[in-house]
Every structure is written in C-alpha cells, then in structure tokens.
C-alpha cells in the first residue's frame, strides 16, 4: 500500500474541556512532521522530568538521619502488621516497611562492608550474595508497592522514592516515632 505524501487528510483534535474540536486539513507530509515534533517534545519533557526528580531524591544518609534503629523499626512493622491484620495496613506502614527494607539492603551492600566483615564472610560468599539479592529484591518490591499505592510514576527509582517520602514523613513527626536512637 503506497501513500502519497501530498494526499490531504483531515486532522481532528478533541480534548476534554474544549468547546468544540479543532479540525484542519493537512498533507500526509505535514502530519508526519507534526507527529515527529510531538514525539521529540514528549521525549524532551520525559527527560526533563526525570532530571528534575533525580535531583530531588535525598541520599540514604539524609533520608534516614533521624530514623529509629533498624531493629526497632522492623519490630514496629511486625507488631503493627499483626495488630492491623484484620483492618488492613495504611500508607504509613507501607512507607516505614519499605524504608526499613531499603536500610537493610543498604547495610548489606558490598560497598559498605568492612574489610574484617568481608574476610569473615569469605567462606559464605554464595550465601551472602543470595541474602543480599533477597534484601534488594524485598526492598525493591516494597518500594514498588508504595509507588503503586501513591499512584506515582513508574519511571521513578522506587527506593529513591521511598527515601524521599520517608524524609518528608519523618520531618512531619513530632519526635522519633519509636522512641529509640538510630543505628
């Protein structure tokens, strides 16, 4: 099927809130040029949005500066999950649970391990790799649940989003949510 670039087509745009659709006759060549420009504009907008959001993510140290210890936060998540099992869990639980899993995954990050710990764990490399992978997968999965719960863009880095939301949530708290110090 051959198309003639000089063929005239009718372009009709109808958006919500418009009083009437916009209609114009243009050639196939003009339509192609418009579609390419729109595609370029969309790509540029997506890149700018990604850069803007990437600049707003706090580092793990910033996000968890005033966080309770991992063990007390994990205890809170388990205790709260048990208490609220029949009622369903709220956004705060999902946020704090994702944050504690992120912190566990960060703590298990190979780059943050000491030389002594690496030497002691040398015989269990395979098990550590599995544990590290599981921690990262758990943190990613919990973070994705929070993204979905908040209806946030799937283009965000899920764990960076958790850190941002945790930092915002923690800033609104009157004091340490568990009454313990950070680790």
């Amino acid at each position: 099927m051959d198309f003639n670039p000089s063929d005239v087509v009718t372009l009709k745009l109808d958006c919500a809130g418009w009083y009437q659709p916009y209609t114009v006759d243009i050639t196939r060549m003009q339509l192609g040029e418009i579609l390419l420009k729109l595609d370029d504009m969309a790509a540029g907008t997506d890149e700018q949005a990604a850069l803007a959001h990437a600049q707003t993510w706090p580092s793990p140290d910033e996000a968890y500066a005033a966080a309770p210890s991992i063990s007390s936060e994990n205890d809170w998540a388990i205790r709260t999950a048990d208490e609220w099992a029949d009622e369903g869990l709220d956004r705060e639980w999902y946020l704090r649970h994702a944050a504690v899993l992120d912190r566990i995954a960060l703590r298990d990050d190979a780059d943050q391990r000491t030389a002594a710990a690496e030497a002691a764990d040398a015989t269990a490399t395979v098990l550590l790799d599995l544990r590290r992978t599981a921690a990262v997968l758990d943190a990613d999965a919990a973070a994705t649940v929070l993204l979905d719960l908040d209806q946030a863009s799937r283009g965000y880095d899920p764990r960076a989003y958790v850190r941002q939301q945790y930092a915002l949530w923690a800033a609104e708290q009157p004091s340490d949510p568990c009454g313990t110090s950070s680790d």
Side-chain angles (χ1 to χ4, degrees):
M1 181 191 287
D2 292 324
F3 293 105
N4 182 347
S6 299
D7 286 346
V8 175
V9 295
T10 301
L11 178 65
K12 180 179 179 182
L13 301 174
D14 190 7
C15 295
W18 288 12
Y19 295 108
Q20 64 184 21
Y22 173 77
T23 306
V24 64
D25 290 332
I26 59 175
T27 65
R28 288 185 184 274
M29 171 123 8
Q30 290 171 318
L31 177 60
E33 290 171 2
I34 289 171
L35 292 175
L36 286 173
K37 285 180 185 176
L38 288 173
D39 190 47
D40 289 345
M41 289 169 48
T45 303
D46 291 343
E47 290 169 7
Q48 288 173 355
L51 288 174
H53 288 296
Q55 295 171 358
T56 62
W57 303 133
S59 70
D61 290 338
E62 293 168 333
Y64 304 130
S69 71
I70 290 173
S71 62
S72 66
E73 192 75 337
N74 196 44
D75 290 345
W76 175 87
I78 292 168
R79 187 175 58 254
T80 303
D82 289 342
E83 292 171 2
W84 295 356
D86 295 334
E87 301 169 29
L89 300 169
D90 65 359
R91 182 185 184 278
E92 178 183 344
W93 185 88
Y94 284 103
L95 172 63
R96 292 175 69 179
H97 180 67
V100 77
L101 290 175
D102 182 45
R103 291 169 64 202
I104 290 168
L106 289 168
R107 183 180 66 187
D108 286 343
D109 188 346
D111 293 339
Q112 296 183 15
R113 301 183 66 75
T114 65
E118 288 178 16
D121 293 340
T123 58
T125 301
V126 172
L127 293 176
L128 285 176
D129 286 344
L130 290 174
R131 186 177 124 226
R132 198 172 293 124
T133 300
V136 170
L137 290 175
D138 286 348
D140 287 344
T144 301
V145 168
L146 185 68
L147 274 176
D148 289 345
L149 185 67
D150 288 353
Q151 297 179 349
S153 169
R154 281 294 188 115
Y156 293 162
D157 174 345
R159 290 175 56 195
Y161 179 77
V162 166
R163 294 173 197 142
Q164 177 197 52
Q165 294 301 303
Y166 190 89
L168 293 170
W169 172 82
E172 294 175 354
Q173 302 309 304
S175 63
D176 181 4
C178 293
T180 59
S181 63
S182 62
D183 55 11

